[in-house]
Amino acid sequence: MAKNGQISSSVIKRLPRYYRFLGELKKQGVERISSRELSDMMKLTASQIRQDLNCFGGFGQQGYGYHVDMLHSEIGNILGVDRQFKTIVIGAGNLGRAIATHINFDTRGCELIGIFDRDPALTGMKVGKLEIMHTDELEQFCRKQKPVVAVLCIPKAATQEIADKLVGLGLRSFWNFSHYDLSIDHEDIIVENVHLGDSLLTLTYGTNVLASSEDAKK
Ligand code: NAI
């Protein structure tokens, strides 16, 4: 198996989607699938799929296709879904609470162990199984529990400072929802910036193209 560092970032971006589709097939009891069938489902070309999956060993067999369960678990291993990296949420407002309760961290390699907010009015409130802690407790908590992943659901202005503090406390991965393009000036830090608004704009672009071509036909 190739190490993640040897797989191109565009292939890595597609792995969660392969993992999700293969997981659905597995649930349906499908044992094997050809690259053609997988390509129809995923709207990728069969050759793209073969190229992608070849990057980490090509688990397909000529005339047999891919063994769904095996490929699903191999991709899961590459993604690290069984690792249970300790994870905390910073910011227990609307978004932080929604993420803490609606995202299934366990099946994605993370274990949610804490949620923090600087607003004392929120301290002690339940979010799922967790109680919101005040950010004054953050340092002691991190030194003891050693989380490595932080989900940032705080306002833009607070983001860099909190991120720097968390890096100092040993956190290495940031799932950043704040509207601040986090670039941490530290080595070995992973940041995944998420902007739902950017995704909506991509949809708006597509809608605009469609609407313009319909207007042109009138
Ligand atoms: P909210 O106002 O409901 O919650 C923000 C929470 O952060 C508050 O409870 C506040 O006390 C807390 N907070 C502020 N500074 C903090 C600090 N230094 N340490 C710990 N907690 C702190 O806002 P909401 O709706 O939950 O949104 C959170 C952030 O996420 C906002 O910046 C918003 O713009 C952004 N957002 C991003 C989206 C995306 O797609 N990336 C989608 C929706 C919101």
Side-chain angles (χ1 to χ4, degrees):
M1 183 181 80
K3 292 261 187 312
N4 289 8
Q6 296 165 296
I7 303 173
S8 79
S9 58
S10 52
V11 177
I12 291 172
K13 285 264 177 218
R14 284 194 286 275
L15 285 187
R17 204 161 159 253
Y18 284 118
Y19 187 69
R20 181 159 51 81
F21 274 85
L22 288 160
E24 282 162 17
L25 288 168
K26 197 175 142 180
K27 264 194 214 147
Q28 291 159 21
V30 177
E31 282 178 18
R32 64 174 170 160
I33 189 161
S34 67
S35 44
R36 165 55 61 88
E37 287 167 315
L38 198 54
S39 81
D40 286 347
M41 266 177 74
M42 296 189 61
K43 310 284 181 238
L44 288 171
T45 65
S47 104
Q48 173 84 81
I49 287 179
R50 276 192 296 271
Q51 263 179 40
D52 282 354
L53 302 185
N54 276 342
C55 289
F56 38 87
F59 307 108
Q61 282 169 33
Q62 195 79 38
Y64 177 87
Y66 295 100
H67 190 293
V68 170
D69 194 16
M70 198 162 80
L71 188 54
H72 183 253
S73 71
E74 287 290 346
I75 293 177
N77 285 340
I78 291 166
L79 291 169
V81 294
D82 293 328
R83 295 296 300 273
Q84 298 300 292
F85 292 113
K86 288 185 180 177
T87 301
I88 55 176
V89 171
I90 309 290
N94 293 313
L95 185 64
R97 287 201 301 264
I99 286 177
T101 47
H102 294 298
I103 297 285
N104 194 343
F105 284 86
D106 297 358
T107 57
R108 296 183 171 97
C110 296
E111 180 195 5
L112 186 59
I113 58 164
I115 175 161
F116 293 85
D117 200 287
R118 72 169 182 190
D119 181 354
L122 299 180
T123 304
M125 273 175 57
K126 279 261 184 186
V127 178
K129 289 181 189 153
L130 297 173
E131 271 183 18
I132 299 171
M133 287 175 269
H134 192 270
T135 36
D136 285 351
E137 297 175 65
L138 185 60
E139 193 164 333
Q140 202 189 6
F141 181 92
C142 291
R143 294 204 190 285
K144 197 166 168 209
Q145 299 290 337
K146 303 194 175 4
V148 288
V149 180
V151 186
L152 302 181
C153 302
I154 48 180
K156 192 174 177 171
T159 306
Q160 189 68 59
E161 193 186 331
I162 279 280
D164 288 343
K165 180 175 180 167
L166 292 170
V167 171
L169 289 167
L171 282 91
R172 289 291 169 260
S173 299
F174 293 86
W175 198 24
N176 176 36
F177 286 83
S178 75
H179 291 305
Y180 179 82
D181 279 334
L182 196 57
S183 61
I184 301 187
D185 304 326
H186 303 272
E187 282 185 17
D188 301 329
I189 296 295
I190 310 279
V191 180
E192 186 68 25
N193 293 309
V194 183
H195 290 286
L196 296 178
D198 288 0
S199 173
L200 177 59
L201 267 182
T202 309
L203 181 75
T204 302
Y205 168 79
T207 311
N208 189 28
V209 170
L210 267 183
S212 303
S213 80
E214 277 164 18
D215 286 348
K217 285 182 206 150
K218 282 178 192 161

